[in-house]
């Protein structure tokens, strides 16, 4: 999701979902395979996933698809994917997981425990993970304990998705770069302010172009 500044002073969230067939890692810069983007600003979550689901069932034989991996940051809106798609498995986005782990690693004397902590996640050993965190917690002041608790709770609440992210056979998702290239580059990277109508139109245009569409003069209505 992109967080876009509005003229009213508040921020608007523009959801983005990208369907891909994996990652091409043979190139210097990894690329998503057959990426198709969907944005959901101004529509209900149900309508959004109806659009995505209709596309998938039209393009693929979903009855033959073994698993649908949904890479995300743990946001609640994306959880609806399991109601619309078969065999969904949630995977924690690598950027957000590493961000959480780095916050833990920066705590006082936590570095020696990080290897064991990561190993516990890879082996799906939650008891070992908790044990490592308790050792780190014992060396912290009140502020350090709060930081540790916040990040440990995030990992615990998304444990299954975090474990899948650490497994070597699960490809990356390019989640943050996709948001950056498709939406942020036009909507939020520079000091811009938008109306609700402007966000809606520009978000649709960005996704249309990134999906291979071409905008010409006949598409523009002059008022």
């Amino acid at each position: 999701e992109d967080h876009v500044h509005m003229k009213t002073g508040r921020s608007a969230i523009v959801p983005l979902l990208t369907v891909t067939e994996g990652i091409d890692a043979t190139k210097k810069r990894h690329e998503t395979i057959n990426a198709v983007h969907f944005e959901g600003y101004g529509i209900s979550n149900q309508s959004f996933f109806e659009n995505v689901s209709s596309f998938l069932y039209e393009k693929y034989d979903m009855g033959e698809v073994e698993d649908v991996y949904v890479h995300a940051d743990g946001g609640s809106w994306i959880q609806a994917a399991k109601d619309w798609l078969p065999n969904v498995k949630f995977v924690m986005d690598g950027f957000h997981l590493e961000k959480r782990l780095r916050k833990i690693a920066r705590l006082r004397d936590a570095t020696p425990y990080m290897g064991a902590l990561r190993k516990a996640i890879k082996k799906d050993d939650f008891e070992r993970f908790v044990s490592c965190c308790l050792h780190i917690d014992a060396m912290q002041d009140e502020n350090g304990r709060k930081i540790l608790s916040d990040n440990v709770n995030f990992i615990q609440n998304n444990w299954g998705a975090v474990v899948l992210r650490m497994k070597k056979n699960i490809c990356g998702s390019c989640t943050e770069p996709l948001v950056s290239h498709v939406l942020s580059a036009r909507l939020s990277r520079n000091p811009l302010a938008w109306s609700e109508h402007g966000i809606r139109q520009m978000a649709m245009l960005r996704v249309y172009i990134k999906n291979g569409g071409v905008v010409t003069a006949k598409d523009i209505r002059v008022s």
Side-chain angles (χ1 to χ4, degrees):
E1 57 202 33
D2 192 18
H3 296 262
V4 181
H5 184 68
M6 300 187 69
K7 291 179 179 179
T8 59
R10 66 181 181 87
S11 292
I13 295 176
V14 183
L16 177 71
L17 187 149
T18 301
V19 175
T20 81
E21 296 169 6
I23 301 292
D24 182 358
T26 61
K27 302 177 182 179
K28 185 176 181 180
R29 291 178 62 87
H30 294 183
E31 295 181 358
T32 49
I33 301 172
N34 296 329
V36 179
H37 309 287
F38 297 83
E39 61 83 26
Y41 183 74
I43 63 176
S44 68
N45 215 35
Q46 177 176 339
S47 296
F48 182 54
F49 277 102
E50 281 181 352
N51 292 341
V52 175
S53 176
S54 297
F55 165 79
L56 287 172
Y57 278 91
E58 182 176 336
K59 183 173 182 180
Y60 303 104
D61 182 357
M62 296 302 289
E64 297 297 321
V65 174
E66 294 183 5
D67 294 299
V68 176
Y69 292 102
V70 178
H71 299 254
D73 61 0
S76 58
W77 69 270
I78 200 70
Q79 300 297 317
K82 65 180 181 295
D83 299 324
W84 292 93
L85 304 174
N87 306 321
V88 165
K89 294 183 178 179
F90 290 99
V91 183
M92 178 55 58
D93 172 55
F95 171 83
H96 291 89
L97 175 57
E98 289 302 321
K99 182 179 178 180
R100 297 284 179 169
L101 292 174
R102 284 196 298 271
K103 287 183 177 180
I104 296 175
R106 285 197 292 266
L107 295 173
R108 180 188 302 163
D109 297 324
T111 303
Y113 293 94
M114 295 308 296
L117 191 148
R118 287 176 176 273
K119 187 175 181 179
I121 296 175
K122 288 180 181 179
K123 291 184 175 295
D124 195 9
D125 188 344
F126 185 69
E127 290 186 5
R128 178 62 175 163
F129 173 79
V130 171
S131 176
C132 291
C133 292
L134 288 174
H135 281 92
I136 297 172
D137 181 81
M139 297 178 289
Q140 308 307 312
D141 57 18
E142 183 177 350
N143 183 58
R145 287 192 177 97
K146 183 180 184 306
I147 294 172
L148 179 64
S149 176
D150 288 345
N151 290 284
V152 168
N153 286 341
F154 176 85
I155 293 173
Q156 179 179 353
N157 292 337
N158 297 280
W159 182 254
V162 168
V163 170
L164 275 179
R165 171 69 279 151
M166 298 290 271
K167 292 185 178 297
K168 292 183 178 180
N169 61 333
I170 301 295
C171 72
S173 62
C174 301
T175 305
E176 289 302 309
L178 284 169
V179 172
S180 177
H181 294 320
V182 178
L183 296 177
S184 302
R186 184 64 181 87
L187 290 173
S188 63
R189 189 171 300 161
N190 296 314
L192 302 172
W194 298 84
S195 66
E196 289 193 8
H197 179 70
I199 293 175
R200 181 75 185 119
Q201 301 291 45
M202 186 56 69
M204 285 193 296
L205 275 171
R206 291 292 293 179
V207 165
Y208 177 67
I209 291 170
K210 291 296 183 179
N211 284 340
V214 177
V215 177
T216 65
K218 68 179 182 179
D219 300 311
I220 308 301
R221 175 171 60 85
V222 179
S223 62

